[in-house]
Amino acid sequence: MDVTKVAPLEAGFAPGAYRDKASNLTGSIRLKGWSMNRSISSHCRVGSVLAASVLLGGLLGACSAETPQATTLDPPTPDTRLTLRPGEYRSAPDPRTLLSPALREDLMHNADPHETKCRHKARLVADYWRCYVLTRYPGSRNLDRTIIHLSVSLPFTDTATAEAIEEFDESYKTIDASGPAPVPLKLGDQAYQSVPDREELRDAWIVFRRRNVVVSVSVHEARRDADGPESAIYADQLRRTRRLATELAQAVPQLPQ
C-alpha cells in the first residue's frame, strides 16, 4: 500500500516556519497492484482423407482451440526476517526541516508560492519526500527550478542499505542519462555530481547516499536573459546544489533510527 501526502507551502518553506508540521498534512491513499495477462493463441489442425472410390471424395477437418487464460503476477513479498540494522534509519522527515533557517530563506527568496510544493510517500520498500521550488525573478517571466528528493530505503527483499545502494545506482545513472558522465564526489558513503556540457546548459545535480538514505538535489536555470556565459550560470547552479546537498548530508544523522 502506498500512502501519498501533499505538503502545503506553510509546512516548511514559509519564512520563520521551521517546525515540521507533517503530522497535520492531509493526503489520499492509493492502492497499486501488479498484474500480467498471458494469452495462449489458438491453433487449428486440419486433416483430409481421400476416398478410394473415384465417385466419392471428401475433405475431413478438425479444428480445436484453447481458451486464453489470465494469470496474475503477485507483488513482491517482503522478507519478514529482515529488520533495520544498527545505524540504519527508519523514516524520512520533510527535507525542509533539515535545512538551516538561513539556507531555507535563501532558497525561498522570490519563490512562487503557487508553484512550490512537497510530496510525501510512505511505502513498504521506502519512505520518501520530493520537493519542488520554482523561483520567479523580479521583472522576468522565467523561473529557476530546484528539486530535492530524499528517500529512506527499508528492508524489503534485502537489507535497507542494500536496497539504498540499488536506488543510488539507478538515481545517478538516470537523473540526466543523456548528459556528460558524472564524476565521484566526497559526500556521505557514495556520491556523484554532474559536469558541465560544452554544447548546452543542463541541470546541475548531486546524488549521494549515507547508509540507507539516498538524496538527490538538482538546480535548473531557466532565465533566457541571464547575464554572463553559460559556464558561469552552470557554476552558480552547481554552487547552490552543493550548498543544499552538503547541509542535507550533515543532517542525515538526525534522522530517526
Side-chain angles (χ1 to χ4, degrees), residues 13 94-96 117-118 129-133 146-148:
F13 276 138
D94 186 332
R96 297 170 292 186
K117 58 188 175 182
C118 283
W129 282 82
R130 182 180 290 268
C131 293
Y132 301 84
V133 181
T146 300
I147 301 177
I148 301 172

Side-chain angles (χ1 to χ4, degrees), residues 115-128:
E115 299 293 340
T116 298
K117 58 188 175 182
C118 283
R119 293 183 180 274
H120 175 229
K121 272 195 175 183
R123 307 178 64 184
L124 291 177
V125 70
D127 184 28
Y128 67 86

Side-chain angles (χ1 to χ4, degrees), residues 45 54 81 87 93 98 100 104 112 126 159 176 190 200:
R45 294 175 299 174
V54 294
R81 297 170 299 175
L98 302 178
S100 66
R104 185 163 18 197
D112 185 342
T159 66
D176 188 9
Q190 292 178 285
E200 62 178 311

Side-chain angles (χ1 to χ4, degrees), residues 8-65:
L9 175 65
E10 294 78 7
F13 276 138
Y18 308 128
R19 182 169 60 87
D20 184 3
K21 300 181 181 178
S23 59
N24 295 329
L25 303 181
T26 59
S28 58
I29 298 178
R30 302 175 181 174
L31 299 179
K32 293 184 178 180
W34 294 259
S35 63
M36 179 181 69
N37 291 326
R38 183 182 62 186
S39 60
I40 304 174
S41 60
S42 61
H43 63 276
C44 181
R45 294 175 299 174
V46 179
S48 62
V49 178
L50 183 63
S53 173
V54 294
L55 297 178
L56 298 176
L59 182 65
L60 302 178
C63 182
S64 63

Side-chain angles (χ1 to χ4, degrees), residues 199-219:
E199 298 182 357
E200 62 178 311
L201 180 63
R202 309 180 75 93
D203 292 11
W205 58 264
I206 289 175
V207 178
F208 73 85
R209 179 188 67 81
R210 181 163 182 169
R211 299 289 178 100
N212 60 319
V213 178
V214 177
V215 177
S216 66
V217 180
S218 65
V219 175

Side-chain angles (χ1 to χ4, degrees), residues 183-193 205-208 242 245:
V183 295
L185 179 68
K186 291 184 178 180
L187 191 67
D189 297 329
Q190 292 178 285
Y192 279 94
Q193 75 171 35
W205 58 264
I206 289 175
V207 178
F208 73 85
R242 281 178 175 172

